[in-house]
Amino acid sequence: MIELYYSQTCPYCQKVLSFFKENDIDFKAKDVSDPINYAELIKIGKIAQVPFLFDREKNEKMYESDIIIDYVNRNYKK
């Protein structure tokens, strides 16, 4: 399952979350205001930037809302 690290106040995160909702994408949301999720973001992604998508199954990691949307559109859209 894909994981999206996001912040409630980030407009780029909201763009990705809206796309996921509109397209019924199955994902795990990880709000970085939770210290545990923030620590995971730094460990996996190496920088404190959101949105950040981690596809554990394919070991794909990416930032930038448009790149994330394009990736999910190609790989997970039903």
Side-chain angles (χ1 to χ4, degrees):
M1 177 182 293
I2 57 175
E3 299 174 0
L4 181 71
Y5 292 82
Y6 73 98
S7 168
Q8 288 288 343
T9 60
C10 167
Y12 301 105
C13 298
Q14 295 307 314
K15 177 181 176 180
V16 174
L17 288 166
S18 292
F19 172 82
F20 283 12
K21 184 177 181 180
E22 290 166 9
N23 293 281
D24 196 30
I25 303 298
D26 189 25
F27 73 103
K28 186 169 187 176
K30 298 207 168 199
D31 188 339
V32 296
S33 67
D34 179 328
I36 293 171
N37 291 337
Y38 181 80
E40 285 178 9
L41 168 67
I42 299 303
K43 183 179 179 182
I44 297 166
K46 308 296 185 218
I47 59 173
Q49 179 180 327
V50 290
F52 173 70
L53 181 90
F54 182 34
D55 183 344
R56 288 186 185 275
E57 185 177 308
K58 298 178 182 177
N59 198 33
E60 292 285 343
K61 303 169 189 171
M62 64 198 72
Y63 295 93
E64 304 297 330
S65 58
D66 289 336
I67 293 170
I68 291 169
I69 288 170
D70 182 59
Y71 175 81
V72 171
N73 198 34
R74 286 183 287 111
N75 293 282
Y76 290 96
K77 193 170 174 185
K78 298 173 184 171

